[in-house]
Amino acid sequence: MYITIEGIDTAGKSTQISALSSYYPDAIITKEPGATAIGKEIREIVLSAKTQSKKAEFLLFLADRAEHIEEVIQPNLHKTIISDRSVVSGVAYALIQGEISETAILHLNRFATNGIYPEKVFLLKLTKEELEFRLSQKKLDGIELRGSEYLLNIQEALIKASHLLNIELIEIDATQDRETITKQILNNMKDRND
Ligand code: TMP
């Protein structure tokens, strides 16, 4: 079973992924971008914000994704794979960027992944109020400085991307306490032994 945890900054993805890893000790815990040797280098380039071309940035994320699918996902499809972001983020961020057509975004992502998509998307969803509260409590990085409107647009785009990719979407209220969120994810994961 291959699942992805998606959500905007401060939604609590990392916390949930580390909680899930204790319930699935044999699972492959992975992420995009940056899970492979090449991916780590791509991640540094792409998050350094030095790319001038939005297309170049999109293609770097795609290169990371192609490597991730071939090295990590495809060989482990018989195991439980829990990924921090996936093609769903890839499509969502590109949709918001607005530089590339929806058709091309979908087509190129299918090309990069060989059509290997997660079975389920768990979206940790924040309200505007909670997002603004959480942002006010921390030192903001580059993406977070774009503000709550931008992040809420991304959140909507994550939902749209799941539909466009035809992946089952499970929306989880990320304002709940950690344990409740973990339980809701566990309840929606198919078979703990696969
Ligand atoms: P993170 O690993 O801390 O979540 O950071 C990854 C950043 O890259 C995050 O801001 C989302 C962004 N991103 C894209 O813009 N496109 C993509 O395809 C992916 C996977 C992530």
Side-chain angles (χ1 to χ4, degrees):
M1 179 187 28
Y2 167 29
I3 64 133
T4 180
I5 310 288
E6 300 279 351
I8 53 177
D9 299 71
T10 77
K13 283 186 291 114
S14 322
T15 308
Q16 287 307 317
I17 287 171
S18 81
L20 291 171
S21 65
S22 61
Y23 287 91
Y24 288 94
D26 299 327
I28 306 291
I29 308 290
T30 187
K31 66 173 181 182
E32 288 189 19
T36 62
I38 293 291
K40 284 190 181 72
E41 294 188 33
I42 296 174
R43 183 183 166 97
E44 268 198 33
I45 298 170
V46 83
L47 296 185
S48 71
K50 285 191 196 129
T51 43
Q52 298 296 306
S53 155
K54 298 287 179 201
K55 285 181 182 147
E57 186 185 283
F58 173 73
L59 291 168
L60 284 167
F61 279 114
L62 275 189
D64 169 78
R65 185 158 305 123
E67 191 75 0
H68 186 226
I69 292 286
E70 185 155 326
E71 261 197 54
V72 180
I73 305 294
Q74 197 149 17
N76 288 300
L77 279 172
H78 57 291
K79 299 188 186 158
T80 296
I81 305 171
I82 300 172
S83 187
D84 180 342
R85 300 193 187 279
S86 68
V87 65
V88 177
S89 276
V91 171
Y93 281 82
L95 284 172
I96 292 300
Q97 202 183 72
E99 180 99 351
I100 304 156
S101 74
E102 188 176 297
T103 315
I105 292 170
L106 291 171
H107 185 79
L108 289 166
N109 271 283
R110 180 165 289 277
F111 170 71
T113 58
N114 295 325
I116 298 175
Y117 297 157
E119 257 175 65
K120 293 182 190 210
V121 182
F122 289 92
L123 174 65
L124 303 181
K125 202 174 172 197
L126 283 176
T127 57
K128 185 172 194 287
E129 295 66 36
E130 181 66 18
L131 170 64
E132 285 176 352
F133 172 73
R134 290 186 188 191
L135 291 176
S136 73
Q137 299 297 300
K138 64 182 296 236
K139 190 168 177 294
L140 304 183
D141 68 22
I143 297 267
E144 290 160 353
L145 281 169
R146 293 181 189 174
S148 62
E149 287 302 324
Y150 171 78
L151 291 171
L152 290 167
N153 284 340
I154 297 285
Q155 183 166 271
E156 284 311 304
L158 288 166
I159 296 171
K160 182 171 180 190
S162 305
H163 295 319
L164 288 171
L165 293 162
N166 205 16
I167 309 175
E168 182 185 351
L169 171 67
I170 294 134
E171 290 185 28
I172 308 261
D173 175 0
T175 65
Q176 304 174 102
D177 65 76
R178 273 178 219 196
E179 291 77 17
T180 308
I181 295 173
T182 309
K183 264 190 216 135
Q184 288 185 357
I185 297 175
L186 289 171
N187 287 342
N188 281 284
M189 284 181 65
K190 212 174 39 184
D191 175 1
R192 301 254 184 108
N193 300 314
D194 68 6

